[in-house]
């Protein structure tokens, strides 16, 4: 998921598994850096994601995660 314009991202009931951003940040979700979009995730699975730079699974300034499984990113 790529939201470079600072848009907020809301994810619910998703499986983000094995995603890779080899030359960028945020293997599964990219919502920019400081002061850009917020990410909220609920009832989701986020595993085995990677990135070439920062944020193996998620690159964002503000992230809220509830009732989700996050591992091995």
């Amino acid at each position: 998921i790529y939201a470079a314009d600072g848009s907020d991202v809301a994810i619910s009931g998703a499986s983000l598994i094995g995603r890779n951003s080899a030359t960028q940040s945020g293997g599964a979700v990219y919502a920019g850096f400081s002061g850009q979009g917020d990410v909220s995730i609920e009832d989701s699975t986020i595993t085995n994601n990677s990135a070439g730079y920062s944020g193996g699974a998620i690159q964002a300034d503000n992230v809220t995660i509830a009732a989700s499984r996050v591992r091995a990113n």
Side-chain angles (χ1 to χ4, degrees):
I1 299 170
Y2 185 80
D5 64 356
S7 298
D8 292 341
V9 177
I11 299 168
S12 180
S15 294
L16 303 174
I17 300 170
R19 299 176 188 273
N20 183 331
S21 179
T23 61
Q24 298 293 324
S25 299
V29 179
Y30 178 89
F33 286 91
S34 183
Q36 293 186 341
D38 296 338
V39 176
S40 64
I41 299 168
E42 70 175 336
D43 192 31
S44 296
T45 300
I46 304 167
T47 61
N48 298 322
N49 298 288
S50 61
Y53 295 101
S54 60
I58 302 166
Q59 174 62 53
D61 192 36
N62 296 309
V63 180
T64 303
I65 299 174
S68 297
R69 294 183 181 144
V70 180
R71 66 182 175 101
N73 294 286

